[in-house]
């Protein structure tokens, strides 16, 4: 097989090689079932075990208390943008924190179901930091944040205190990349295709007591109650993607759990941001507040667009793939989710040193 590229794509993104190898070994026959996971009934005991293993692994690794449901649904994180307000806004008012394109999209969907306030908004600064403080409505139905802003490269290290108002989070691009106190959140959702598997399944973690608040007059498939009451088996769930998520969770456990993952991600961030800071004359990070720098998506500019293009092109020729910034912002973006190793970031940093000297 040709050498695999070092894949800095923002999502779908790199998977750990041991996961791909396990997947390959289990493609024709999964876990001794006499058939593959793609062919078995979602009501079979074999698939029920895969589902239960994925849930228990995630519960244990992320520290999810028993009073939270863990659900696997389709439709991507984008479907959650409408499911959240459909279930919980019901003509009331919700506080959204606008910290980027995805946060904006989530808020726009919510406007269809009630009032939306921006409790924080950094659009005027082109989202180059997180809000310093929030203007919260104590009567809001919920507060919605995006913990990692995939396009602009900012990430919360500490969550905002919201008092008695439930805190909801889109963690699509940093779920299980570092430890969080899950108890501070009432609802968490994330598409799997960055840190936890492949496209097709979205993970939803929901505090059980919130089910009482779910709107009653909404379509069956869009109600969290349907997915919670039926343990994600109301209809055929995305069986294959759930299996991949289980394999990724197994890999995380084999590595030593979330503490080890967090340490790896810290090491990677120190390596890459250290290089940006050392050569700030050449590599200019776009996030102005260092505490808000994302460990997952690192965005920076070079002295000219021509140099940026050259940097991305020459890097790609050397196997450093997927560094082009989002089409709406340009520049360079390195996405380094859990599967990217510190050794791979070291290779990138070596390339950056050489490129700077040569140019
Ligand atoms: N939220 C965030 C933070 C994202 O990065 C993305 C995708 N890049 C989405 C939501 C949308 O996810 P999906 O494509 O799974 O709908």
């Amino acid at each position: 097989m040709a050498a695999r590229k070092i894949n800095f794509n923002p999502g779908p993104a790199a998977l750990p090689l041991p996961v791909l190898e396990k997947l390959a070994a289990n493609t024709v026959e999964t876990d001794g079932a006499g058939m593959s996971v793609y062919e078995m009934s979602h009501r079979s005991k074999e698939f029920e075990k895969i589902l239960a293993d994925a849930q228990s692994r995630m519960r244990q690794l992320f520290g999810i208390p028993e009073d939270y449901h863990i659900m696997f649904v389709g439709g991507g994180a984008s479907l959650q943008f409408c499911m959240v307000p459909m279930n919980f806004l019901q003509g009331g008012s919700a506080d959204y924190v606008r910290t980027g394109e995805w946060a904006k999209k989530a808020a726009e969907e919510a406007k269809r179901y009630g009032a939306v306030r921006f409790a924080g908004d950094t659009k005027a600064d082109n989202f180059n930091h997180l809000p310093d403080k929030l203007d919260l409505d104590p009567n809001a139905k919920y507060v919605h944040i995006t913990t990692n802003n995939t396009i602009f490269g900012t990430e919360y290290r500490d969550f905002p205190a919201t008092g008695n108002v439930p805190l909801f989070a889109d963690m699509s691009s940093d779920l299980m990349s570092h430890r969080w106190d899950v108890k501070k959140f009432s609802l968490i959702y994330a598409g799997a295709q960055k840190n936890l598997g492949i496209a097709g399944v979205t993970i939803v973690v929901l505090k059980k007591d919130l089910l009482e608040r779910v709107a009653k007059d909404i379509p069956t498939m869009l109600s969290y109650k349907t997915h919670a009451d039926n343990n994600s088996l109301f209809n055929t769930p995305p069986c294959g993607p759930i299996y991949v998520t289980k394999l990724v969770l197994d890999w995380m456990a084999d590595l030593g759990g979330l503490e080890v993952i967090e340490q790896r991600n810290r090491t990677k961030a120190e390596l890459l941001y250290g290089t940006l800071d050392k050569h700030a004359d050449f590599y200019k990070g776009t996030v102005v507040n260092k505490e808000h720098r994302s460990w997952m998506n690192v965005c920076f500019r070079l002295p000219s667009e021509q140099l940026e293009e050259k940097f991305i092109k020459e890097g790609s020729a050397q196997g450093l793939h997927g560094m082009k910034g989002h089409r709406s912002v340009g520049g360079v973006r390195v996405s380094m989710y859990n599967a990217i190793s510190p050794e791979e970031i070291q290779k990138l940093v070596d390339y950056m040193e050489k490129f700077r000297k040569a140019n």
Side-chain angles (χ1 to χ4, degrees):
M1 191 174 77
R4 276 170 57 78
K5 293 174 180 171
I6 298 180
N7 180 0
F8 298 123
N9 277 343
L15 284 163
L17 187 56
V19 167
L20 291 173
E21 286 167 349
K22 257 200 190 152
L23 195 57
N26 284 283
T27 289
V28 174
E29 185 187 7
T30 304
D31 301 338
M35 66 185 73
S36 76
V37 64
Y38 313 109
E39 301 163 294
M40 64 180 59
S41 164
H42 58 293
R43 313 237 172 250
S44 63
K45 64 178 189 330
E46 287 87 356
F47 184 74
E48 276 186 359
K49 179 169 178 347
I50 289 169
L51 184 67
D53 285 352
Q55 287 164 323
S56 66
R57 270 269 190 250
M58 182 170 291
R59 202 177 282 288
Q60 172 241 326
L61 285 165
F62 201 29
I64 303 173
E66 284 299 328
D67 58 339
Y68 285 75
H69 285 289
I70 301 174
M71 295 173 267
F72 297 99
V73 297
S78 298
L79 183 66
Q80 296 306 307
F81 294 167
C82 80
M83 269 179 80
V84 164
M86 206 181 231
N87 279 262
F88 296 116
L89 190 47
Q90 303 152 1
S93 180
D95 278 355
Y96 276 72
V97 185
R98 187 159 63 164
T99 49
E101 216 37 54
W102 299 110
K104 195 170 113 201
K105 287 205 165 108
E108 274 159 15
E109 285 298 293
K111 284 180 190 160
R112 300 170 190 271
Y113 304 97
V116 169
R117 285 176 75 249
F118 286 128
D121 187 359
T122 54
K123 186 172 176 4
D125 297 329
N126 199 26
F127 303 121
N128 66 10
H129 63 97
L130 296 171
D132 297 321
K133 64 178 182 37
L134 300 182
D135 162 33
L136 293 168
D137 169 9
N139 296 314
K141 296 266 187 171
Y142 59 83
V143 179
H144 180 282
I145 62 169
T146 310
T147 51
N148 183 75
N149 296 284
T150 323
I151 296 174
F152 296 93
T154 56
E155 186 178 21
Y156 286 90
R157 298 254 81 84
D158 209 356
F159 40 79
T162 58
N164 290 327
V165 181
L167 178 60
F168 291 3
D170 174 2
M171 291 196 190
S172 288
S173 48
D174 69 345
L175 180 63
M176 296 184 75
S177 61
H178 63 103
R179 289 166 294 175
W180 272 122
D181 184 357
V182 175
K183 292 192 291 298
K184 305 287 181 195
F185 298 88
S186 294
L187 185 149
I188 293 167
Y189 63 88
Q193 65 269 25
K194 299 173 199 294
N195 273 316
L196 282 162
I198 59 173
V201 63
T202 304
I203 293 144
V204 180
V205 178
L206 177 67
K207 192 141 193 263
K208 288 181 179 167
D209 61 9
L210 247 81
L211 284 179
E212 293 160 17
R213 303 191 195 181
V214 163
K216 304 229 164 11
D217 53 350
I218 55 178
T220 310
M221 271 300 284
L222 298 180
S223 167
Y224 289 116
K225 204 163 161 10
T226 303
H227 298 283
D229 289 351
N230 294 282
N231 191 28
S232 303
L233 291 168
F234 173 75
N235 72 326
T236 319
C239 301
I242 292 171
Y243 181 64
V244 180
T245 293
K246 184 207 105 76
L247 294 182
V248 172
L249 291 163
D250 288 348
W251 169 79
M252 290 174 72
D254 289 346
L255 265 191
L258 207 52
E259 208 176 328
V260 174
I261 295 278
E262 178 178 308
Q263 189 48 47
R264 263 166 65 100
N265 287 332
R266 177 180 287 115
T267 303
K268 284 149 54 183
E270 283 170 1
L271 265 173
L272 187 43
Y273 286 114
T275 305
L276 298 190
D277 290 341
K278 189 164 89 185
H279 298 309
D281 57 331
F282 194 78
Y283 296 115
K284 198 168 171 1
T286 56
V287 176
V288 292
N289 187 333
K290 287 190 182 175
E291 280 113 71
H292 300 161
R293 285 170 159 180
S294 168
W295 288 5
M296 298 283 100
N297 312 95
V298 181
C299 301
F300 54 95
R301 306 298 310 233
L302 272 70
S304 70
E305 282 185 17
Q306 286 77 2
L307 274 176
E308 284 168 350
E309 216 171 286
K310 191 169 179 224
F311 177 86
I312 292 162
K313 200 167 156 213
E314 288 182 8
S316 184
Q318 297 179 33
L320 302 164
H321 175 81
M323 297 196 286
K324 199 165 165 40
H326 190 269
R327 60 190 184 279
S328 63
V329 295
V332 180
R333 171 176 56 172
V334 174
S335 298
M336 43 182 202
Y337 302 116
N338 290 346
I340 296 288
S341 67
E343 293 71 31
E344 288 170 319
I345 296 302
Q346 184 60 55
K347 283 191 185 147
L348 168 65
V349 161
D350 292 345
Y351 166 67
M352 289 169 73
E353 292 283 355
K354 279 195 205 118
F355 187 87
R356 179 178 165 274
K357 276 208 191 86
N359 292 279

